[in-house]
Amino acid sequence: MKIICVGRNYRAHAEELGNAVPEEPVVFCKPDSALLPPRNPFVIPPWTRDVHHEIEWVVRIGKVGKYIEPRFAYGYLDAMTVGLDFTARDLQSKLKSQGLPWERAKGFDGSAALGSWVELPDEPRAHEIRLEKNGTEVQRGSTADFLHSVEDLVAFVSQYFTLKKGDVLFTGTPAGVGPVAAGDRLEGFLNSESRLRVNVR
Ligand code: ZN
Protein backbone atom coordinates (compact mmCIF):
# COMPACT_ATOMS: atom_id res chain seq x y z
CA MET A 1 0.00 0.00 0.00
CA LYS A 2 1.01 3.59 -0.52
CA ILE A 3 0.71 6.52 1.82
CA ILE A 4 0.16 9.67 -0.22
CA CYS A 5 0.19 12.98 1.59
CA VAL A 6 -0.83 16.51 0.70
CA GLY A 7 0.85 19.58 2.16
CA ARG A 8 -0.49 23.11 2.56
CA ASN A 9 -4.16 22.33 2.02
CA TYR A 10 -5.35 24.85 4.64
CA ARG A 11 -4.49 28.50 4.09
CA ALA A 12 -3.83 29.23 7.79
CA HIS A 13 -1.32 26.37 8.11
CA ALA A 14 0.57 27.36 4.95
CA GLU A 15 0.85 30.86 6.39
CA GLU A 16 1.97 29.74 9.87
CA LEU A 17 5.00 28.02 8.30
CA GLY A 18 5.67 31.01 6.06
CA ASN A 19 4.86 29.06 2.89
CA ALA A 20 3.16 30.46 -0.20
CA VAL A 21 -0.37 29.14 -0.74
CA PRO A 22 0.10 26.83 -3.72
CA GLU A 23 -2.04 26.72 -6.84
CA GLU A 24 -1.43 23.01 -7.30
CA PRO A 25 -1.52 20.55 -4.38
CA VAL A 26 1.85 19.81 -2.75
CA VAL A 27 2.20 16.02 -2.82
CA PHE A 28 4.65 13.64 -1.17
CA CYS A 29 4.66 9.96 -0.19
CA LYS A 30 5.65 7.96 2.86
CA PRO A 31 6.89 4.36 2.52
CA ASP A 32 4.73 1.60 4.04
CA SER A 33 7.35 1.21 6.79
CA ALA A 34 6.22 4.65 8.06
CA LEU A 35 2.96 3.15 9.34
CA LEU A 36 2.83 3.14 13.13
CA PRO A 37 1.37 -0.23 14.14
CA PRO A 38 -1.93 0.22 16.03
CA ARG A 39 -1.54 0.75 19.80
CA ASN A 40 2.24 1.17 19.48
CA PRO A 41 3.79 4.28 21.01
CA PHE A 42 5.39 6.83 18.74
CA VAL A 43 9.13 6.86 19.50
CA ILE A 44 10.94 10.13 18.75
CA PRO A 45 13.96 9.27 16.56
CA PRO A 46 17.38 10.11 18.02
CA TRP A 47 18.35 12.36 15.07
CA THR A 48 15.71 15.06 15.56
CA ARG A 49 14.99 17.63 18.28
CA ASP A 50 11.73 18.96 16.86
CA VAL A 51 9.04 16.46 15.83
CA HIS A 52 5.69 18.11 15.15
CA HIS A 53 2.20 16.66 15.23
CA GLU A 54 0.00 17.22 12.17
CA ILE A 55 -3.56 15.94 12.56
CA GLU A 56 -5.19 15.22 9.20
CA TRP A 57 -8.37 13.84 7.66
CA VAL A 58 -7.38 10.57 5.98
CA VAL A 59 -9.29 8.69 3.30
CA ARG A 60 -8.76 5.16 2.02
CA ILE A 61 -8.89 4.10 -1.62
CA GLY A 62 -11.47 1.37 -2.32
CA LYS A 63 -10.64 0.38 -5.91
CA VAL A 64 -7.93 0.77 -8.51
CA GLY A 65 -7.93 3.92 -10.61
CA LYS A 66 -5.79 6.27 -12.67
CA TYR A 67 -6.58 9.52 -14.46
CA ILE A 68 -9.71 9.71 -12.31
CA GLU A 69 -12.03 12.60 -13.14
CA PRO A 70 -13.01 14.79 -10.18
CA ARG A 71 -16.73 14.04 -10.65
CA PHE A 72 -16.07 10.31 -10.16
CA ALA A 73 -13.34 10.63 -7.52
CA TYR A 74 -15.54 10.26 -4.43
CA GLY A 75 -16.59 6.81 -5.65
CA TYR A 76 -13.00 5.62 -5.38
CA LEU A 77 -12.96 6.16 -1.60
CA ASP A 78 -14.24 3.60 0.87
CA ALA A 79 -13.41 4.83 4.38
CA MET A 80 -12.13 7.75 6.42
CA THR A 81 -10.38 8.42 9.72
CA VAL A 82 -7.92 10.86 11.27
CA GLY A 83 -4.19 10.36 11.10
CA LEU A 84 -1.03 11.92 12.43
CA ASP A 85 1.62 12.98 9.93
CA PHE A 86 4.61 13.18 12.30
CA THR A 87 7.18 15.58 10.88
CA ALA A 88 10.79 16.19 11.91
CA ARG A 89 10.46 19.94 11.41
CA ASP A 90 14.15 20.69 12.00
CA LEU A 91 15.26 18.26 9.30
CA GLN A 92 12.43 19.31 6.98
CA SER A 93 13.43 22.98 7.27
CA LYS A 94 17.02 22.12 6.50
CA LEU A 95 16.08 20.03 3.46
CA LYS A 96 13.63 22.68 2.23
CA SER A 97 16.26 25.41 2.48
CA GLN A 98 18.55 23.27 0.31
CA GLY A 99 15.78 22.53 -2.19
CA LEU A 100 15.99 18.82 -1.37
CA PRO A 101 13.20 16.21 -1.04
CA TRP A 102 11.52 15.89 2.38
CA GLU A 103 11.26 12.10 2.62
CA ARG A 104 13.64 11.63 5.54
CA ALA A 105 11.78 14.27 7.56
CA LYS A 106 8.31 12.92 6.73
CA GLY A 107 8.66 9.22 5.91
CA PHE A 108 10.65 7.80 8.80
CA ASP A 109 9.49 4.75 10.77
CA GLY A 110 6.31 5.40 12.73
CA SER A 111 5.65 8.79 11.12
CA ALA A 112 2.17 7.81 9.88
CA ALA A 113 -0.37 6.96 12.59
CA LEU A 114 -3.88 5.98 11.49
CA GLY A 115 -7.06 6.01 13.55
CA SER A 116 -9.87 3.48 13.33
CA TRP A 117 -11.73 3.58 10.01
CA VAL A 118 -15.31 4.74 9.55
CA GLU A 119 -17.51 4.38 6.49
CA LEU A 120 -17.75 7.43 4.28
CA PRO A 121 -21.16 9.05 3.96
CA ASP A 122 -22.84 8.40 0.57
CA GLU A 123 -22.44 12.03 -0.46
CA PRO A 124 -19.45 14.31 0.20
CA ARG A 125 -19.86 16.64 3.16
CA ALA A 126 -17.64 18.57 5.57
CA HIS A 127 -15.89 16.74 8.43
CA GLU A 128 -14.36 18.20 11.55
CA ILE A 129 -10.99 17.01 12.82
CA ARG A 130 -9.40 17.82 16.14
CA LEU A 131 -6.26 16.93 18.09
CA GLU A 132 -5.83 16.99 21.85
CA LYS A 133 -2.39 16.88 23.46
CA ASN A 134 -2.49 15.83 27.11
CA GLY A 135 -6.19 16.63 27.17
CA THR A 136 -5.89 20.15 25.70
CA GLU A 137 -7.02 21.00 22.18
CA VAL A 138 -4.08 22.00 19.98
CA GLN A 139 -5.46 21.65 16.44
CA ARG A 140 -8.92 21.91 14.93
CA GLY A 141 -10.03 22.11 11.34
CA SER A 142 -12.86 21.44 8.94
CA THR A 143 -12.53 19.87 5.53
CA ALA A 144 -14.83 22.71 4.43
CA ASP A 145 -11.70 24.90 4.61
CA PHE A 146 -9.63 22.81 2.18
CA LEU A 147 -7.87 24.75 -0.57
CA HIS A 148 -8.31 21.62 -2.75
CA SER A 149 -11.35 19.37 -2.27
CA VAL A 150 -10.82 15.65 -1.72
CA GLU A 151 -12.25 15.00 -5.20
CA ASP A 152 -9.68 17.34 -6.74
CA LEU A 153 -6.88 15.76 -4.69
CA VAL A 154 -7.78 12.21 -5.75
CA ALA A 155 -8.04 13.31 -9.39
CA PHE A 156 -4.73 15.14 -9.18
CA VAL A 157 -2.63 12.42 -7.55
CA SER A 158 -4.14 9.72 -9.82
CA GLN A 159 -2.56 11.47 -12.81
CA TYR A 160 0.83 10.46 -11.41
CA PHE A 161 0.25 7.42 -9.20
CA THR A 162 -2.15 4.58 -9.99
CA LEU A 163 -4.34 4.35 -6.92
CA LYS A 164 -4.87 0.88 -5.52
CA LYS A 165 -7.29 -0.60 -3.02
CA GLY A 166 -5.96 0.07 0.48
CA ASP A 167 -3.83 3.09 -0.39
CA VAL A 168 -4.36 6.01 1.97
CA LEU A 169 -4.40 9.74 1.36
CA PHE A 170 -3.50 12.25 4.09
CA THR A 171 -5.24 15.49 3.11
CA GLY A 172 -3.17 18.14 4.89
CA THR A 173 -3.14 19.66 8.35
CA PRO A 174 -4.91 22.74 9.74
CA ALA A 175 -3.09 25.41 11.74
CA GLY A 176 -1.73 24.69 15.20
CA VAL A 177 1.08 22.24 14.48
CA GLY A 178 3.59 22.01 17.29
CA PRO A 179 6.22 19.86 18.96
CA VAL A 180 5.68 16.57 20.75
CA ALA A 181 7.73 15.37 23.71
CA ALA A 182 8.25 12.04 25.44
CA GLY A 183 5.31 11.39 27.74
CA ASP A 184 2.75 13.28 25.61
CA ARG A 185 -0.63 11.68 25.04
CA LEU A 186 -2.16 12.51 21.67
CA GLU A 187 -5.82 11.91 20.85
CA GLY A 188 -7.39 12.54 17.46
CA PHE A 189 -11.09 13.11 16.87
CA LEU A 190 -13.21 12.89 13.74
CA ASN A 191 -16.60 14.59 14.01
CA SER A 192 -16.23 14.59 17.83
CA GLU A 193 -15.54 10.85 18.03
CA SER A 194 -12.22 9.69 19.42
CA ARG A 195 -10.53 7.67 16.68
CA LEU A 196 -6.79 7.72 17.44
CA ARG A 197 -4.66 7.57 20.58
CA VAL A 198 -0.89 7.70 20.48
CA ASN A 199 1.55 7.92 23.36
CA VAL A 200 4.91 9.58 22.65
CA ARG A 201 8.15 8.09 23.93
ZN1 ZN B 1 0.92 16.79 6.82
Side-chain angles (χ1 to χ4, degrees):
M1 56 92 77
K2 305 189 270 303
I3 305 165
I4 305 172
C5 303
V6 173
R8 305 178 201 169
N9 201 29
Y10 292 83
R11 182 175 303 273
H13 170 62
E15 288 169 356
E16 80 179 342
L17 293 185
N19 290 314
V21 173
E23 270 176 42
E24 285 192 325
V26 175
V27 176
F28 58 95
C29 294
K30 293 176 187 254
D32 60 3
S33 47
L35 264 189
L36 183 68
R39 289 177 295 282
N40 274 35
F42 170 75
V43 180
I44 298 174
W47 41 260
T48 173
R49 303 200 150 273
D50 193 25
V51 173
H52 277 195
H53 54 74
E54 296 192 352
I55 191 76
E56 311 202 0
W57 188 55
V58 180
V59 291
R60 189 174 67 193
I61 304 298
K63 59 181 181 184
V64 69
K66 65 191 294 186
Y67 292 105
I68 298 166
E69 288 181 45
R71 64 196 166 115
F72 299 128
Y74 195 74
Y76 283 80
L77 305 175
D78 77 349
M80 63 178 180
T81 188
V82 283
L84 279 163
D85 165 20
F86 286 110
T87 303
R89 194 71 72 201
D90 45 0
L91 178 56
Q92 187 197 24
S93 300
K94 184 174 138 194
L95 293 168
K96 272 163 75 173
S97 71
Q98 296 171 349
L100 295 171
W102 302 345
E103 269 75 3
R104 286 191 290 139
K106 286 277 199 182
F108 57 89
D109 287 359
S111 62
L114 290 173
S116 52
W117 295 103
V118 213
E119 249 182 67
L120 275 177
D122 291 341
E123 297 294 325
R125 65 172 186 83
H127 300 283
E128 190 193 76
I129 59 172
R130 207 156 61 74
L131 179 67
E132 289 185 3
K133 183 167 88 171
N134 305 323
T136 302
E137 181 178 301
V138 286
Q139 285 191 272
R140 174 193 284 268
S142 167
T143 62
D145 297 325
F146 276 1
L147 294 170
H148 304 282
S149 69
V150 71
E151 293 90 342
D152 287 346
L153 293 175
V154 167
F156 184 78
V157 300
S158 77
Q159 294 178 57
Y160 305 90
F161 311 122
T162 297
L163 299 179
K164 295 182 179 176
K165 186 175 169 63
D167 290 345
V168 299
L169 177 67
F170 280 67
T171 57
T173 196
V177 300
V180 297
D184 282 348
R185 289 172 292 109
L186 303 172
E187 186 168 11
F189 297 82
L190 172 58
N191 299 323
S192 303
E193 283 179 28
S194 175
R195 291 268 151 217
L196 174 65
R197 283 167 193 254
V198 179
N199 293 321
V200 180
R201 279 216 207 125

